Amino acid sequence: MDSIDLIKKLSDVEGISGFEDNVLEVIKDEMKNFYNIEKDSMNNLYINNILPEERKKPVIMLEAHSDEVGFMIQSIEGNGLLKFIPIGGWSSQQVQAHKVKIQNSEGKYINGIISSVPPHFLKNDGKTEIKDMFIDIGAFSYEEVKEIYKIEIGAPVIPNVVCEYNEISKLFLGKAFDDRIGCAIITEVMKDIKNENLNVDVVGVISSQEEVGLRGAIVSSQKALPNVAIVLEGPPADDTFRNKYTSQGGIGKGVQIRHIDPTMIANPRLVKFIKDIAKKYNIKYQETVRESGGTNAGKIHLENLGIPTIVLGVPVRYAHSHHNFVSLNDYQETVKLVKALIKELNENIIKNF
């Protein structure tokens, strides 16, 4: 499989929370010749889901979320500017003057920019909150927006970015690596293990609406009901503002193993097993203890009377902004680790978690 093309394709595709359909179509197209695929009304996607009564082996769930942070049109001004709200977590300093695209009522994308005040007119510190920003599509009236551009209230707004890959640095520069990088890992791993003789069954789950409250995972984990869950994430990198001793999310430092965040304490026996496997297979990894943030693991580990769950991450520089960096090397190390875990897990090991 061409990992580079897959990652670029998933980065470029549009899919803010609640509007993940295009992302799912990419994944379905990649997986259609390999597994049965199901989708529910929450826009969760299930790859090789196995009904509880048909299971003969423990089930490992590989989980990632399809949605990206973006915006939604709230109202249309008389002068043609568009009022919007954030979907997911944004900092106002990362929003102004960036290109976006708005999906209109015909499914077409209209380009625009998030308005900014020229420096000539700025006063005081010049800071603007998101609630005071607008999107400018080059229209001059309410009627023009509605009748010509066919943009309606509730329209999804996506960062307008095309993913690039640098052969020298082996870095991708694009959008939405939180969490399209996790989606790519699941897609690649599920293909690679298709004909493996394993002691476990593997289900791939692509959950919706993580960025607005871990909502899809509440439903998807109840349907998948795994014995172990591996959550694949694109967590924020910290190596641009922390030193080599305190950084726990460095680009090029390998897969990130998460011990804790405010939503979950990782099962310590599972953590030890994963670190032992990483060492056995000579896989580069780093560890993190997070004071903030959260993932779908926060909901997943509480289902099915408690599911041993781990978050494995590929660090993303400048997550939750228009432009992110992510490392192909870190991606490949994570794929290797996930495949090694699947190969090594069995019923007896899982019982001891």
Side-chain angles (χ1 to χ4, degrees):
M1 172 180 289
D2 190 333
S3 302
I4 294 172
D5 285 347
L6 176 63
I7 292 168
K8 289 171 70 174
K9 190 185 302 183
L10 284 168
S11 172
D12 286 345
V13 71
E14 308 87 0
I16 70 165
S17 305
F19 296 83
E20 305 92 351
D21 305 75
N22 291 349
V23 184
L24 302 190
E25 288 304 313
V26 171
I27 298 170
K28 285 163 66 177
D29 187 60
E30 291 285 338
M31 305 303 296
K32 63 186 178 183
N33 296 325
F34 294 84
Y35 296 99
N36 65 295
I37 299 172
E38 304 171 54
K39 184 172 78 73
D40 65 21
S41 61
M42 284 287 294
N43 248 2
N44 295 314
L45 195 71
Y46 305 89
I47 304 164
N48 193 42
N49 194 47
I50 304 166
L51 295 174
E53 60 269 23
E54 296 176 358
R55 296 178 182 182
K56 299 178 181 178
K57 302 176 184 178
V59 169
I60 310 302
M61 178 173 74
L62 307 182
E63 193 274 348
H65 66 89
S66 54
D67 58 318
E68 64 186 293
V69 293
F71 310 96
M72 180 180 284
I73 300 302
Q74 184 180 46
S75 61
I76 303 168
E77 299 289 307
N79 62 2
L81 292 178
L82 306 174
K83 186 72 175 166
F84 65 93
I85 63 168
I87 301 296
W90 286 90
S91 167
S92 59
Q93 68 179 0
Q94 298 167 323
V95 173
Q96 275 187 305
H98 280 294
K99 286 182 67 177
V100 294
K101 49 186 176 180
I102 305 155
Q103 187 176 9
N104 72 7
S105 60
E106 297 176 341
K108 298 177 181 178
Y109 289 97
I110 309 300
N111 291 331
I113 58 172
I114 297 178
S115 64
S116 59
V117 179
H120 317 68
F121 301 114
L122 290 175
K123 296 180 180 180
N124 302 322
D125 59 8
K127 291 182 179 179
T128 305
E129 298 300 318
I130 292 177
K131 63 182 179 64
D132 299 316
M133 298 177 191
F134 296 88
I135 295 172
D136 190 340
I137 61 169
F140 295 91
S141 69
Y142 175 93
E143 291 76 18
E144 188 178 354
V145 172
K146 293 280 288 186
E147 296 169 13
I148 297 176
Y149 291 101
K150 310 293 186 185
I151 293 174
E152 299 181 349
I153 290 171
V157 182
I158 306 97
N160 192 343
V161 179
V162 176
C163 185
E164 308 167 12
Y165 176 69
N166 187 315
E167 292 281 356
I168 298 172
S169 66
K170 297 190 181 301
L171 295 182
F172 295 89
L173 173 58
K175 69 170 181 67
F177 294 132
D178 175 12
D179 183 31
R180 304 291 165 68
I181 201 69
C183 296
I185 292 167
I186 292 176
T187 303
E188 184 160 343
V189 168
M190 292 296 289
K191 284 186 178 183
D192 288 350
I193 66 169
K194 172 61 179 174
N195 296 315
E196 294 284 337
N197 184 19
L198 303 169
N199 294 312
V200 295
D201 285 323
V202 183
V203 175
V205 174
I206 309 295
S207 299
S208 64
Q209 299 191 40
E210 190 267 2
E211 299 292 1
V212 290
L214 319 180
R215 296 172 187 172
I218 298 173
V219 175
S220 64
S221 56
Q222 291 174 6
K223 181 177 177 70
L225 291 175
N227 301 99
V228 174
I230 302 173
V231 175
L232 288 314
E233 260 290 358
D238 61 5
D239 56 348
T240 58
F241 55 90
R242 289 180 175 158
N243 63 45
K244 66 178 182 179
Y245 300 106
T246 58
S247 172
Q248 298 182 343
I251 294 284
K253 300 294 179 62
V255 53
Q256 184 194 72
I257 301 171
R258 184 177 300 205
H259 287 271
I260 186 174
D261 64 39
T263 68
M264 186 190 78
I265 299 173
N267 180 303
R269 294 164 295 283
L270 177 56
V271 171
K272 182 182 184 304
F273 173 77
I274 290 170
K275 290 167 63 176
D276 288 344
I277 296 301
K279 293 170 186 174
K280 176 179 177 179
Y281 287 82
N282 196 29
I283 295 168
K284 186 186 294 186
Y285 71 90
Q286 53 192 316
E287 302 172 72
T288 187
V289 171
R290 291 284 303 276
E291 296 179 287
S292 60
T295 74
N296 280 339
K299 300 297 184 184
I300 293 168
H301 81 289
L302 300 176
E303 295 298 334
N304 201 21
L305 301 179
I307 300 169
T309 304
I310 192 69
V311 180
L312 302 179
V314 179
V316 176
R317 277 191 189 163
Y318 318 118
H320 285 217
S321 71
H322 277 66
H323 303 282
N324 320 151
F325 279 118
V326 76
S327 164
L328 178 62
N329 290 336
D330 293 339
Y331 171 87
Q332 291 171 333
E333 291 296 288
T334 308
V335 168
K336 284 166 55 179
L337 180 56
V338 173
K339 290 198 293 187
L341 294 172
I342 291 168
K343 178 181 177 181
E344 295 282 345
L345 281 167
N346 59 49
E347 187 173 5
N348 288 333
I349 291 173
I350 292 169
K351 283 179 179 178
N352 289 319
F353 290 152

